[in-house]
Amino acid sequence: TRLTASQDFRLVALAEPGDWLTPEVAALFATQVLPEMTPLELTMALPSLVPTATPELCQRIASIATAALLTQHDTSFSSGERGALRLSLRVLLRLTRQAAATPTDTKKLRILLHEALMSRFLPWRLQDTINGWMEVAGLASNKDTRHV
């Protein structure tokens, strides 16, 4: 059986650039580059995207995102390490929704962030970086949170 697609059929493909994106493959798609949101834009957008989130939670998430964004420009990390430490808008929204769904203390938010980045599988250096982001956001912990 052969299926014919409607002339109105469109495909939306979302991807991160990488080695797979050869000039031949790129020619098949129209590219729309979305710039990273600034911390101010993120702080303003989170309450409307996640209405159940408190202003304090939105501010903490924005602080974490700001610290993570600075990591993306840190040349002491390899491109692979920077990729492992990337917090996309999708991840930030999921983190905000999960944290807003239940009464969240700082320990719970720390756990949610470590789970979102699967930090259990990251080298200690990267885990320490993630813990540094949380300290900047006022989520300091009294204990070592490696391999949460």
Side-chain angles (χ1 to χ4, degrees):
T1 304
R2 182 176 218 167
L3 299 175
T4 305
S6 166
Q7 289 181 349
D8 295 329
F9 177 78
R10 298 292 182 260
L11 173 69
V12 176
L14 302 175
E16 292 285 330
D19 295 339
W20 66 272
L21 189 61
T22 63
E24 295 81 19
V25 173
L28 299 172
F29 298 95
T31 301
Q32 300 294 325
V33 177
L34 299 176
E36 293 285 336
M37 291 180 91
T38 65
L40 178 60
E41 291 170 333
L42 184 62
T43 303
M44 291 173 31
L46 280 177
S48 55
L49 293 171
V50 186
T52 56
T54 65
E56 180 186 4
L57 175 62
C58 292
Q59 184 58 46
R60 286 180 189 252
I61 298 291
S63 295
I64 291 168
T66 301
L69 189 58
L70 293 174
T71 304
Q72 296 303 308
H73 304 292
D74 186 340
T75 56
S76 69
F77 293 104
S78 69
S79 63
E81 289 173 327
R82 287 192 301 268
L85 294 173
R86 188 171 180 279
L87 284 174
S88 67
L89 180 58
R90 181 177 154 268
V91 169
L92 291 170
L93 287 174
R94 184 172 25 130
L95 180 64
T96 307
R97 286 186 192 115
Q98 288 174 342
T102 59
T104 305
D105 59 5
T106 58
K107 183 178 178 184
K108 174 76 172 173
L109 188 53
R110 292 179 70 84
I111 291 169
L112 288 172
L113 180 60
H114 277 286
E115 287 175 354
L117 290 170
M118 297 192 303
S119 67
R120 175 176 297 193
F121 304 104
L122 295 176
W124 283 17
R125 175 178 181 230
L126 301 185
Q127 290 181 34
D128 289 343
T129 300
I130 295 167
N131 287 330
W133 299 345
M134 289 187 275
E135 288 175 15
V136 167
L139 299 173
S141 175
N142 295 334
K143 64 176 192 143
D144 187 7
T145 56
R146 290 178 179 158
H147 301 291
V148 174

